[in-house]
Structure formats: structure tokens, C-alpha cells
Amino acid sequence: MKIATVAQMRAMDQRAIEAFGIPETLLMENAGLAAYRVLRDRFPVAGRRILVLCGSGNNGGDGLVVARKIFSDGGQPLVLLLGDATRYHGAAAVNWEIIQRLGIDTMPYSTPAALDDLINTCDLVVDAILGTGLSKPVRGHYADVIESVNANHRPVVSLDIPSGIHGDTGQVMGTAIRADLTITFGLPKVGNLLYPGYHYGGKLYTTHIGFPPRLTRADDLAIAINRPPRIPERSPWGHKGSFGDALFIAGAADYYGAPYLASMAFLRAGGGYARLAAPAAIVPTIAARGPEIVFLPQEGTAAGSIALSNLDQLATVAGTRDMVVIGPGLSLNEETAQLVRQLAATVPVPLLIDGDGLTAISPSADSVCNRSADTVLTPHLGEMERLTGLSQEAIQDDPVGILQKTAGRLQAIIVLKGAHSLIGFPDQRVYVNTTGNHAMATAGAGDVLTGAIAAMVGAGLPVDKAVCKGVALHGAAGDLAADAIGADGVTADDILRYLPEAVRRDRLARDDETLCPDILTIV
């Protein structure tokens, strides 16, 4: 499914009205009706007192429609106005007039204490306060209302997005409603799907409110939920070379886990031939744990990392592999960083740079722009800071936009790792991944991801699709691990152990099923 920015959603509204002749009142009616249907299916309405909190914009207008539907089905809505009713215009003004004619109870906001009393007498709260247009922190009585709603623990239904969540970033703008469910209109907004906004929204529903498919599926909507293709079938007569031959340039003194996890993840996700170029001094220790790996022992620096003298040998081996992964546990040694930079600029096959490899190329990241083969970068937020020169706060304020600019500038596929990881492409496409969980915030998890992506290249997927599939499989393995042993104790080794099961489930799924969970429901 496509995902919209706030600006794209506004443009879609306008085009529906002007190009397709769909009245604004009908769009608002459809939004309110869909929201009410979800509310009615989840909570009893007849005879129940329901507090509808309405701002003075179109989000408040949606709330007025919901109040009408509650009233017509035997509920007892109370509309609490947080803004000035004279500011309603268009469809919202029409619905305000109807509310008054019907005699539905309305009252202005007065004090936090009075609001607490109202909430305590109600069975349910509908949040139609601020909507997706919020651009500055919530202040004044709006903040007081949100805090009162959260403190009183009544069930809450938010319309479009929980009030206080930024529609394009998912960030909390000072304070925000904690909803039990959210019904978003037209398309999901970026802020509905990125954390912490996704967490604040509860169960997520979406309704197209009558938009034609040419709007909701338009090519200029570059953001979508990650729904990668199936893994190609394995050839019954294949050999280890048939399922991928990957080179991992990784490891240093005191960094034994990262090279092992990356190489073994490749094998556990179905890869055929994992070659690990690591300092000779650490090879015996890794080999004792991973005898399936083929080792290429490397000369070491005085600090125990891979020496620059290995450049020619590594370049020769790299040139005939299906994919090269460079970076896991390499250390920050400057001589090794020189090796990374020279290899990154010259390797003629698909290249994935992770971890310390990203730090090595960061001072001259533009050097990867002119590579002849695909480049994949897998930074976490701190590594993205080094790649872009922007602060982590600035990246969080515009994660999609900065990812698009950076992927375009570096001509690379970039996986911005985190809760609901983002996958960005040079052509401005961005996919939001929906597998994975907070249990995966553990050392080594990213190394497992590198191996999973390389395995999907080895399975025969094009690099862009392999990245999407590897990210999805990696998250699914983390979900399986958390379900089996609990979120608190999951390690990267647990994610590695569940990779084969994630692949197995993907292969057994029907054609209409997907590895990624349905995190939103269409209504």
C-alpha cells in the first residue's frame, strides 16, 4: 500500500474535489462514516455516553460526523469544542450546523478539572482535535486536554492520527494522545507508520473515503509499505554455487561476533558459499563456531585489523563474487579504513557496506556514487549522522526526506535501520518495513541483516528486491525469536537461529500472503 506525506494528502483531497467532482462534504461524510463503523465494531454505542473532542479544523469536522452517527444509533455524544466554532468553514461548517439542528449536546472547553469530570462520566473518547496538519509543539489548553485524556485511561479512538503526532515524522510534538485505535483517511500518513507515532496510534485502520485508485496508487506517491516478492524457488539439482557466493570482509581483534553473524546469516537464510576474509589471528576462534564458513585469512595490522597490504588479493577475490559485504566488526583503524575506501570505489559487483565500513567511507561517501554495480548502505541513526553530516535530531525531524536526498546523492540503496526500518532508493522510492520489534535492539542484529540481504541476492533476486526481502526476513526472524523466548532476552544469535524458520514460512505462504504482517486494516 502507498503512504502519503501530509502535503501529498492535501493535494489528493484537492484533486478529488476539483478534478473528479467529489464534494468536500461527501469526503468528510465518508471519513466520519468509516471511522464510526470501526468504533461501532469495537465498542458498544447504544446508551453509551461518548465524548467527542473537536478542534476547529477539518479534523474537528470529521469528529462532528462521528458524533452524528453515534447519535443516530442511540448513543449519547457530547461534543466538546476546543476551538472557536466560528472558524469552521466548508464541510466542517455544514456539519456544525447539522449538529446544532439535531440538538446534540455541545459545550466549550473550560478547565482541566471540568474535563476530568466529563471524561469520568463517559465510556469512550473520540479524538478529533488536531489531525495531521500539526507543525509546532502542542501548547496551552490543547496540551492540558491531551494530558487529561491520557491520565483518565478511557478507551480512545483517534481520527486520522493521534493529536500531537507529526504527520510526516511520527514524532511527539510536546505531548500526544495515546489511542487504542486510529482510523486514517485517504492513505496512511508517514507519521502513522513511523515510531513513536505508530505506537501512539494503537490498532491502525485506513479508508480511501471514495478516492479513485488513480489517486491512491499514483506513481508520484514514492513511499509505500515494504511488500517484497517471494524468494525464487531453489533448483532441485543446484549446488552450493547455485545459491550464491558471497565475500565478507569483516572482523578484527576483539570483534569475533560480527564476522561470524554476518557470514552465518548468509548461510542460514539459504546462501550457498560464504567466504570470510578476516585477520588470520581471529580465524581459528570463528572457525571453531562456524566450520561451514570458507576462510580467507588476512594479514593484520599492529592493532589486529585487516591490513592494507591485502588490497590486491581481496580485490581479485571480490571481483568474481555475487555480492561483497564489507564492514562488520572491522574496527576504526585508519589503515583498514583506507582499505575499505579503495575497495568500495573499485569492486565491480554488488557491494553492501555496514558498520565500521560506513564510518570508513563517511569522510568521502560521494566516492561510491560512480560505482558500476549496486551499492547498499545499512546505517543506524548514528551512522546516518556521519554519512550526511546532519545531527540525529535533524534526521529524525525529516527521516524520509533526508533518506531520499542521501540515496539520490550517493546513488545507493540505503536501509536506515530502526523500528520500522526505512529502505530508500536513488529514484526516491522509500519502503517502510513492518517486521521486527524492539527485542532486536541488541548488538549484532545488524550483522545478521547484512547476511540475510546477501542471501537474497544469492537466491536470485535483483539487488533492490533482495534488500527489501532481506530486511523483511530479518525482522520476521526477530519476531519469531521474541515470540518464542520473550523480548527482553533476544540476542543476535537468536535472530540468526530463527532465520531458517522465517524463510520456511515465507516459502509455505500462499501467493496472496506476505511475510510482512498486516499492520493496518482497510475499511
Side-chain angles (χ1 to χ4, degrees), residues 42-123:
R42 293 286 300 271
F43 304 102
V45 171
R48 299 303 176 101
R49 189 167 174 81
I50 299 174
L51 181 62
V52 184
L53 302 172
C54 292
S56 55
N58 277 352
N59 194 242
D62 297 331
L64 297 176
V65 176
V66 172
R68 285 199 290 106
K69 303 300 181 183
I70 293 169
F71 182 72
S72 66
D73 266 4
Q76 301 174 27
L78 170 61
V79 175
L80 184 68
L81 287 175
L82 304 186
D84 182 356
T86 62
R87 293 179 59 191
Y88 283 136
H89 62 274
V94 170
N95 279 287
W96 173 243
E97 177 67 21
I98 296 171
I99 285 286
Q100 292 178 300
R101 288 173 179 264
L102 288 173
I104 293 174
D105 290 340
T106 66
M107 64 184 299
Y109 171 78
S110 55
T111 66
L115 176 61
D116 286 339
D117 290 340
L118 283 177
I119 295 174
N120 287 330
T121 64
C122 290
D123 301 293

Side-chain angles (χ1 to χ4, degrees), residues 134-212:
L134 184 65
S135 59
K136 57 186 178 181
V138 180
R139 302 284 189 230
H141 70 277
Y142 287 95
D144 293 339
V145 169
I146 290 171
E147 294 296 332
S148 293
V149 171
N150 290 341
N152 280 280
H153 304 295
R154 289 291 189 272
V156 178
V157 176
S158 284
L159 305 187
D160 219 8
I161 200 166
S163 292
I165 296 296
H166 194 288
D168 283 339
T169 69
Q171 295 299 304
V172 176
M173 303 296 285
T175 186
I177 289 285
R178 293 181 179 271
D180 294 274
L181 59 92
T182 298
I183 307 96
T184 193
F185 307 131
L187 286 174
K189 318 309 178 292
V190 177
N192 289 125
L193 293 173
L194 297 189
Y195 282 91
Y198 177 72
H199 177 70
Y200 274 68
K203 175 66 178 174
L204 181 60
Y205 297 80
T206 190
T207 171
H208 293 320
I209 63 172
F211 289 148

Side-chain angles (χ1 to χ4, degrees), residues 165-403:
I165 296 296
H166 194 288
D168 283 339
T169 69
Q171 295 299 304
V172 176
M173 303 296 285
T175 186
I177 289 285
R178 293 181 179 271
D180 294 274
L181 59 92
T182 298
I183 307 96
T184 193
F185 307 131
L187 286 174
K189 318 309 178 292
V190 177
N192 289 125
L193 293 173
L194 297 189
Y195 282 91
Y198 177 72
H199 177 70
Y200 274 68
K203 175 66 178 174
L204 181 60
Y205 297 80
T206 190
T207 171
H208 293 320
I209 63 172
F211 289 148
R214 73 174 71 178
L215 290 184
T216 57
R217 301 174 190 172
D219 290 340
D220 61 348
L221 296 171
I223 312 167
I225 293 175
N226 184 29
R227 289 289 185 269
R230 303 290 289 274
I231 307 171
E233 292 297 325
R234 290 172 69 92
S235 170
W237 55 88
H239 52 82
K240 60 188 177 186
S242 305
F243 306 119
D245 185 341
L247 172 64
F248 295 83
I249 303 171
D254 300 326
Y255 290 97
Y256 297 79
Y260 165 78
L261 290 166
S263 303
M264 283 302 297
F266 175 78
L267 297 173
R268 298 286 282 172
Y273 209 127
R275 304 171 191 263
L276 174 57
I282 70 171
V283 165
T285 302
I286 301 174
R289 192 176 182 195
E292 304 91 341
I293 302 167
V294 176
F295 291 92
L296 286 71
Q298 303 292 297
E299 294 180 14
T301 64
S305 60
I306 300 176
L308 182 60
S309 59
N310 300 290
L311 177 62
D312 290 343
Q313 176 208 5
L314 287 174
T316 299
V317 176
T320 55
R321 306 282 74 83
D322 295 312
M323 187 169 212
V324 173
V325 174
I326 188 166
L330 272 179
S331 85
L332 301 180
N333 179 272
E334 179 53 33
E335 181 179 339
T336 305
Q338 292 180 44
L339 173 72
V340 171
R341 288 191 286 269
Q342 293 190 47
L343 284 171
T346 58
V347 168
V349 301
L351 174 67
L352 189 158
I353 308 176
D354 182 53
D356 294 332
L358 292 170
T359 301
I361 69 165
S362 290
S364 56
D366 288 353
S367 63
V368 303
C369 291
N370 298 318
R371 283 177 30 81
S372 59
D374 291 294
T375 305
V376 182
L377 311 177
T378 55
H380 54 56
L381 193 59
E383 290 160 346
M384 192 68 170
E385 179 181 37
R386 290 191 280 277
L387 281 173
T388 62
L390 300 171
S391 68
Q392 294 187 34
E393 292 74 17
I395 297 169
Q396 289 175 318
D397 284 343
D398 186 17
V400 170
I402 289 171
L403 180 61

Side-chain angles (χ1 to χ4, degrees), residues 441-518:
T442 184
D447 303 311
V448 178
L449 172 63
T450 65
I453 292 172
M456 294 303 99
V457 173
L461 287 173
V463 174
D464 60 341
K465 293 180 172 57
V467 173
C468 292
K469 193 68 177 186
V471 172
L473 281 169
H474 175 251
D479 290 335
L480 291 168
D483 287 344
I485 64 177
D488 295 295
V490 170
T491 66
D493 207 42
D494 296 316
I495 302 169
L496 175 66
R497 188 163 60 251
Y498 278 95
L499 261 181
E501 177 63 12
V503 173
R504 186 185 77 87
R505 293 191 182 198
D506 184 69
R507 290 198 179 279
L508 290 176
R510 300 190 311 268
D511 287 342
D512 61 341
E513 292 180 330
T514 173
L515 178 72
C516 301
D518 290 324

